[in-house]
C-alpha cells in the first residue's frame, strides 16, 4: 500500500483512527480491517484523533448508518447507492445485498488517494465528484430509487452550500433518500473545543436544532426521521449515559430525508 501520512486529510484520520482502534479491541462493536490496515501502514501516532467521546460517537454513527442503510436496502433491493464525500469509508461491504449498485464519490484528490487503498469491485465503483456540482451524476445508471449517504460531510458546509447540495441531489435523481449527519448550533459556535476536530484545521459549518430546518432549502424534500447518536452511545458506558442527559441537544444526529 503506497500511502503516506501527508496523503490523508486530518478530518479523514479521525474516523480511520477510531475504527482501527475499535477493530483491535477484543469485543469490537464494529470491525473495519481496511481502516486498521491504513493506520498500520501510516505508522504514525494517531492517538490525538481517538479521544473517548469521539471514539464512542464514531462507533455509534457507524452502527446507526449501517442499520438505517440495511433497512432502506431491504425495502429497495435494487437501489442505486452513493456514498457522497466517502473519504476512506467502506459502507458497501457492510450492507451489500448482492444486488445494489454502489458509487463511492469524492473530490478528485481524495479519490486518487482512496485508489491507493481500494480497488473498484463488482457493483462498487469510485468516482470523482463534488457535493456542490452535479456534473458527475450524468455518468450514473438510471434508477427508480437512489440512496445517498453523507456522513461527516455536511457539518463542514455553510447553509448556502447545504442548499446547493440538496438542490443538486433533487435535480439529479427523480426519487431518493438522503442519510445525513447533522450537528448542532452549539458545535457550530464551539467547534474549536471538539475533542478530536480541535486537532485539525477544520471548522464546523451551519448547525441545526432540527433536520426540519433543511426543508426550507428545497421544497421537494421530505423529513423522514432523526435520531441522536446519544441513543446508541448511552448503551455502552456511564459517560455515554451522562452525556445523553447533559448533552441532550448537542450531539450529532442521523437524519433521513426523502424526495
Amino acid at each position: 500500500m503506497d500511502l503516506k501520512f501527508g496523503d490523508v486529510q486530518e478530518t479523514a484520520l479521525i474516523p480511520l483512527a477510531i475504527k482501527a482502534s475499535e477493530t483491535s479491541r477484543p469485543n469490537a462493536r464494529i470491525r473495519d480491517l481496511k481502516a486498521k490496515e491504513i493506520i498500520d501502514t501510516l505508522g504514525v501516532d494517531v492517538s490525538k484523533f481517538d479521544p473517548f467521546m469521539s471514539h464512542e460517537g464514531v462507533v455509534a454513527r457507524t452502527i446507526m448508518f449501517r442499520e438505517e442503510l440495511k433497512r432502506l436496502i431491504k425495502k429497495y433491493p435494487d437501489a442505486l447507492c452513493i456514498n457522497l464525500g466517502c473519504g476512506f469509508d467502506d459502507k458497501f461491504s457492510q450492507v451489500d445485498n448482492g444486488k445494489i449498485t454502489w458509487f463511492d464519490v469524492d473530490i478528485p484528490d481524495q479519490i486518487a488517494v482512496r485508489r491507493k487503498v481500494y480497488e473498484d469491485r463488482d457493483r462498487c465503483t469510485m468516482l470523482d465528484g463534488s457535493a456542490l456540482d452535479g456534473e458527475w451524476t450524468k455518468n450514473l445508471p438510471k434508477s427508480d430509487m437512489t440512496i445517498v449517504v453523507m456522513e461527516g460531510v455536511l457539518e463542514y458546509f455553510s447553509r448556502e452550500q447545504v442548499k446547493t447540495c440538496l438542490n443538486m441531489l433533487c435535480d439529479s435523481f427523480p426519487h431518493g433518500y438522503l442519510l445525513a449527519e447533522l450537528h448542532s448550533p452549539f458545535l457550530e459556535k464551539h467547534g474549536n473545543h471538539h475533542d478530536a476536530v480541535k486537532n485539525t484545521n477544520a471548522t464546523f459549518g451551519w448547525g441545526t436544532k432540527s433536520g426540519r430546518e433543511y426543508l426550507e432549502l428545497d421544497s421537494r424534500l421530505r423529513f423522514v426521521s432523526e435520531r441522536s447518536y446519544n441513543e446508541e452511545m448511552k448503551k455502552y458506558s456511564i459517560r455515554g449515559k451522562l452525556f445523553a442527559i447533559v448533552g441532550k441537544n448537542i450531539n450529532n444526529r442521523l437524519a433521513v430525508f426523502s424526495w
Side-chain angles (χ1 to χ4, degrees):
M1 188 189 295
D2 180 26
L3 199 62
K4 299 178 181 66
F5 185 60
D7 287 338
V8 186
Q9 291 179 321
E10 286 188 313
T11 50
L13 269 174
I14 296 170
L16 272 179
I18 290 169
K19 289 173 183 177
S21 91
E22 180 67 24
T23 299
S24 298
R25 295 182 179 186
N27 299 310
R29 292 162 289 178
I30 59 172
R31 290 184 61 76
D32 191 328
L33 296 174
K34 185 61 78 173
K36 187 173 184 313
E37 182 187 350
I38 294 168
I39 293 298
D40 290 348
T41 298
L42 292 177
V44 293
D45 179 14
V46 291
S47 56
K48 68 179 181 179
F49 299 115
D50 188 20
F52 179 81
M53 290 306 289
S54 279
H55 185 105
E56 294 300 291
V58 167
V59 170
R61 84 176 186 185
T62 301
I63 292 169
M64 289 169 68
F65 269 82
R66 181 186 68 206
E67 296 313 310
E68 186 63 32
L69 262 173
K70 282 184 172 179
R71 189 184 71 77
L72 282 172
I73 288 169
K74 190 171 183 181
K75 192 173 179 181
Y76 304 102
D78 299 304
L80 170 66
C81 299
I82 300 163
N83 192 353
L84 183 52
C86 58
F88 291 99
D89 186 40
D90 182 25
K91 293 225 177 323
F92 174 74
S93 62
Q94 300 173 28
V95 302
D96 180 31
N97 65 349
K99 293 182 178 180
I100 52 172
T101 303
W102 188 284
F103 287 87
D104 286 310
V105 180
D106 214 321
I107 56 175
D109 286 358
Q110 177 59 45
I111 290 295
V113 177
R114 184 180 173 93
R115 287 190 184 280
K116 294 184 177 185
V117 180
Y118 291 98
E119 293 181 353
D120 285 337
R121 291 161 276 180
D122 185 34
R123 295 176 293 100
C124 181
T125 308
M126 288 175 275
L127 190 65
D128 293 352
S130 166
L132 303 174
D133 174 9
E135 190 64 28
W136 56 274
T137 64
K138 296 172 184 174
N139 300 319
L140 302 181
K142 298 290 178 245
S143 176
D144 292 334
M145 180 53 64
T146 303
I147 301 171
V148 180
V149 182
M150 295 190 74
E151 179 182 300
V153 180
L154 292 170
E155 60 203 285
Y156 300 108
F157 283 8
S158 66
R159 187 179 189 275
E160 196 53 42
Q161 287 174 317
V162 173
K163 178 176 172 27
T164 298
C165 178
L166 297 177
N167 296 165
M168 179 274 288
L169 291 175
C170 290
D171 287 343
S172 301
F173 306 106
H175 299 288
Y177 282 89
L178 170 63
L179 279 62
E181 178 173 17
L182 309 188
H183 70 288
S184 66
F186 179 87
L187 204 55
E188 179 184 352
K189 292 186 180 72
H190 304 285
N192 58 323
H193 298 300
H194 187 280
D195 61 358
V197 176
K198 69 182 180 185
N199 294 307
T200 75
N201 294 318
T203 54
F204 286 109
W206 179 47
T208 55
K209 290 183 177 178
S210 164
R212 293 184 190 277
E213 292 174 53
Y214 272 40
L215 304 185
E216 301 165 17
L217 306 182
D218 195 305
S219 60
R220 293 166 289 185
L221 218 57
R222 299 288 177 266
F223 179 85
V224 177
S225 64
E226 186 170 38
R227 292 173 60 216
S228 168
Y229 294 168
N230 287 336
E231 290 186 29
E232 189 68 26
M233 287 170 65
K234 68 184 182 183
K235 296 177 184 178
Y236 303 110
S237 71
I238 296 295
R239 283 166 77 179
K241 284 177 183 170
L242 286 173
F243 187 73
I245 298 167
V246 299
K248 184 180 178 185
N249 300 314
I250 294 175
N251 209 345
N252 287 16
R253 299 104 63 201
L254 163 56
V256 181
F257 304 93
S258 67
W259 68 91

